[in-house]
Amino acid sequence: MREAAWGRALHALVEEGMLDVNAVLAGAVEIEQASRSNHVGVVRLDDQPIFVLKRNHIAVDHVHPFAAEVAAYRWLASDRDRATLAPLLLAVVADDVMVLEHVADAQSFGDAFVASPADQTALLSNLGRQLGTLHSSPSDHECLSERRPWVLGLPRGVVPDIFASDPEIAAMVGDIGASPGLRAALEELESRWAPLVPCHGDVKFDNIVLGTVGRSRGERRMWLLDWEFAGLGLPAWDLAGVVDGLVVPALVSFDVTTALHQAACAQPVLDAYRATAGLELAPDWREILLATVARLAQSALQLCAMREEPTDSDVTSRLVLQGAMELSLELAA
């Protein structure tokens, strides 16, 4: 079903020669909404996917996310090794829509991880190499600016505008501020923050896919998506995104294992990362755990914001926030 909001983008794609006007008029072109949290659509011609559109979205850290993401994709494409990390940016149309390569037979990292227990170590190692390649790339201050995770501002009462009017999120922010362990972890991470390396900025299992694109000649590869938070920052933040992806499922399924135990499961990522990026870039374990506390707190707020029913937050986001608090206490011990 074609979304009315994509009409201007379709017109621009015809003008750019990327779509045939007759095919559009005949109804052979459709855009399928592909994301719950972002304005992402898969363009299909005669029911076959041909490329992906991503529209402008709202900033949460006072950086224009569309411009930042376009800059990140162009920076990635400018180097052969970096170009293997993400789909190719094909064009920018209608001033606020990017056109990206379609990843065929895409499977999220999370789905692949659950479906193939025997391949979990290999998947984590591959991801560690991807992040090592990214972080060891030369920093380009003309393309990438310093980015600080918005969650670091919570102890100072700085809440993103898109969350400010949600009473449930306001209550959770209050709980974060009232937790000495969480406050201490967030404040320590902020004190350590520096624009050290190029970072993806939003590493999570939904933003990692396995699949093929034209450049991979049919080879199944791993790709990082959604680069709107890309910029210069701490390596620990991206690595903590992987730990977060391992810890959250355990927390929301009432797993009795501690967050610290789940975090240790990320060791294949860290080993492959060190082998690729070098020991000089590898953060210490405490910094990774500090970043993991922050990521868990951020994930809790994002889960709360995406709830469809008010009671959903009690089942998911509150459990994740509790995990962040418990891990912060273990850090302080």
Side-chain angles (χ1 to χ4, degrees):
M1 178 177 178
R2 182 184 304 164
E3 297 286 342
W6 292 110
R8 191 162 58 93
L10 283 177
H11 180 75
L13 289 168
V14 169
E15 288 190 333
E16 292 286 334
M18 300 183 73
L19 285 177
D20 179 72
V21 64
N22 293 321
V24 174
L25 293 175
V29 177
E30 295 184 336
I31 300 180
E32 174 190 358
Q33 192 70 22
S35 172
R36 178 180 171 184
S37 56
N38 288 314
H39 298 295
V40 178
V42 177
V43 179
R44 295 180 175 273
L45 176 62
D46 294 327
D47 204 34
Q48 296 299 311
I50 52 175
F51 41 71
V52 173
L53 303 182
K54 187 172 184 182
R55 294 182 60 212
N56 196 2
H57 35 282
I58 300 172
V60 295
D61 62 352
H62 306 293
V63 175
H64 194 292
F66 185 78
E69 187 165 17
V70 168
Y73 273 113
R74 287 173 174 165
W75 174 76
L76 289 163
S78 67
D79 176 84
R80 184 178 62 182
D81 290 334
R82 292 197 301 266
T84 64
L85 301 178
L88 185 67
L89 176 67
L90 301 175
V92 175
V93 300
D95 297 326
D96 63 351
V97 176
M98 62 184 73
V99 186
L100 298 163
E101 279 183 305
H102 175 257
V103 179
D105 302 318
Q107 182 182 30
S108 76
F109 186 95
D111 288 344
F113 193 80
V114 171
S116 305
D119 297 329
Q120 289 179 353
T121 297
L123 287 169
L124 290 171
S125 297
N126 192 3
L127 181 53
R129 287 188 289 273
Q130 295 281 76
L131 294 176
T133 298
L134 173 63
H135 292 173
S136 59
S137 296
S139 300
D140 187 335
H141 291 267
E142 292 185 4
C143 293
L144 303 174
S145 59
E146 179 179 357
R147 302 293 294 275
R148 286 175 177 259
W150 54 263
V151 71
L152 298 183
L154 295 184
R156 304 191 309 275
V158 180
V159 181
D161 292 341
I162 61 173
F163 295 153
S165 61
D166 189 317
E168 188 70 26
I169 290 181
M172 293 182 72
V173 170
D175 291 342
I176 291 171
S179 168
L182 268 181
R183 285 185 62 91
L186 292 172
E187 289 169 354
E188 182 177 347
L189 183 63
E190 184 168 39
S191 71
R192 293 182 178 219
W193 196 267
L196 295 182
V197 300
C199 290
H200 177 277
D202 194 23
V203 173
K204 55 187 179 183
F205 288 1
D206 285 346
N207 284 346
I208 308 163
V209 298
L210 282 74
T212 60
V213 300
R215 291 171 296 152
S216 63
R217 301 177 186 273
E219 177 188 359
R220 192 164 177 80
R221 299 180 60 99
M222 184 180 292
W223 314 90
L224 293 168
L225 309 178
D226 291 345
W227 291 78
E228 63 262 32
F229 291 106
L232 303 176
L234 284 184
W237 184 250
D238 279 351
L239 292 168
V242 184
V243 181
D244 176 270
L246 295 170
V247 171
V248 167
L251 294 175
V252 301
S253 63
F254 300 93
D255 194 309
V256 296
T257 58
T258 66
L260 190 60
H261 173 78
Q262 290 296 125
C265 296
Q267 194 60 48
V269 172
L270 305 181
D271 291 342
Y273 178 87
R274 294 188 185 100
T276 305
L279 291 177
E280 65 279 4
L281 287 184
D284 61 49
W285 186 232
R286 178 176 178 81
E287 190 166 83
I288 292 175
L289 291 180
L290 286 170
T292 299
V293 169
R295 286 298 308 238
L296 287 170
Q298 180 169 294
S299 292
L301 294 174
Q302 289 170 326
L303 285 168
C304 186
M306 292 190 295
R307 69 193 187 278
E308 294 181 355
E309 299 292 339
T311 54
D312 283 352
S313 60
D314 295 331
V315 180
T316 54
S317 56
R318 284 288 174 182
L319 290 170
V320 175
L321 184 59
Q322 183 63 34
M325 291 179 177
E326 291 176 0
L327 183 55
S328 71
L329 291 175
E330 292 189 58
L331 269 175

